[in-house]
Amino acid sequence: MSKIVTIERFILDYQPDYARGEFTNLLYDIALAAKVIAHKTNRAGLVDILGRAGATNIQGEQQQKLDVFADDIIFRVCDHTGRLCAMASEEREDIIPIPEPFKKGSYVLVYDPLDGSSNIDVNVSIGTIFGIYRCLNWDLRGRREDVLQPGRRLVAAGYVLYGSSTMLVYTTGQGVHGFTLDPELGEFLLSHENMRLPEPPTFYSVNHAYFDRWSPAIQRYLRWLQGREGREGPALSSRYIGSLVADFHRNLLRGGIFCYPAEKDKPNGKIRLLYEAGPLAFLAEQAGGYASSGYEPILDIDPTDLHQRTPLFVGNRSLVYQVERFLQEERVVSN
Ligand code: AHG
Ligand code: MN
Ligand code: MN
């Protein structure tokens, strides 16, 4: 019989050397928020019966949209614990200070509360992405600078996938570990220890509808992924859910690459550096993979804006290196 390990036990046993209870409890707070969001997500199909977002429910209360709900839950679980000095969410314009009279801690939480929001109403997997930094200066903690840190300084990152089961996957720099929620126990149990991107990779994920908007190098890269342009090894198949978390998760289990390239009118693509690309880049590297904007490692990009976007290529190392090569060649030719 295999061991039953709860997320709480696992986090405690594997906390980094510098971490005391604060950091461990912060991850546990996120697990709690995840359970609340999972519960709500499972009832999303009932909104037609029980009332739509924006409509008023039976008690006369406004129904919240699921992404606003998720944003609010994460904030409310984390604002008063004394572990954080600031938060930043994809759903909010500015950084979120810790409200008075709560104590400020030393960590910073960045999050995309609900990723894949276009899939909420069609019962397709969605997720939450998060990253944790330490503040730069204890005496001045809680400033924008604490949030605008490159991914290389993340101390933890992870995501929650609300799919056929709810999973929480995270790293603190000691490998990537996955936990599955047992809905009856209400506990996340260790189900995927030390996840590694398998070789050879199986899938590529990209929105093909945008083919004409990409540069010739990216178009060539797509053909390369399809086994044309001289790629060796088994041909890759294509899968695209339109929820980054879900696409990333499948590729993490099966091997592959997620691409959201720059477009003619969108030179930075769509994916947000702080809330999406950075945390997933940390996870990918910890799973033996790599994430790049096509020109530099995602983890090395110094953010200047909270909602900054970046082209993203994340997955098996060999696949990400190749897109960098094609883009580099294009650059050399055009200079
Ligand atoms: P969000 O729902 O947090 O705004 O993110 C949506 C993102 C990402 O999850 C997904 O990979 C991508 O948008 C899909 O975009 P396209 O519809 O342009 O392919
Ligand atoms: Mn998102
Ligand atoms: Mn979102």
Side-chain angles (χ1 to χ4, degrees), residues 90-91 112-117 276:
E90 187 208 77
E91 290 293 325
D112 176 356
L114 239 260
D115 175 67
S117 21
E276 301 176 313

Side-chain angles (χ1 to χ4, degrees), residues 34-101:
K35 284 189 247 181
V36 180
I37 299 168
H39 176 75
K40 188 84 172 179
T41 304
N42 286 337
R43 298 175 58 81
L46 297 169
V47 289
D48 281 342
I49 304 161
L50 302 175
R52 273 193 173 284
T56 310
N57 70 10
I58 259 159
Q59 287 84 31
E61 298 158 336
Q62 279 293 108
Q63 291 283 307
Q64 270 183 322
K65 282 181 67 181
L66 208 51
D67 34 13
V68 178
F69 174 85
D71 177 70
D72 196 47
I73 285 296
I74 295 172
F75 171 72
R76 286 201 287 138
V77 164
C78 297
D79 69 342
H80 59 281
T81 59
R83 303 190 239 282
L84 295 176
C85 61
M87 290 180 251
S89 159
E90 187 208 77
E91 290 293 325
R92 308 200 192 197
E93 186 107 0
D94 222 328
I95 74 164
I96 316 167
I98 298 305
E100 296 282 345

Side-chain angles (χ1 to χ4, degrees), residues 90 112 114-117 207 210 240 242 244 260 270 272 276:
E90 187 208 77
D112 176 356
L114 239 260
D115 175 67
S117 21
N207 191 336
Y210 304 148
Y240 191 74
L244 172 57
Y260 208 111
K270 177 179 185 187
R272 285 86 167 177
E276 301 176 313

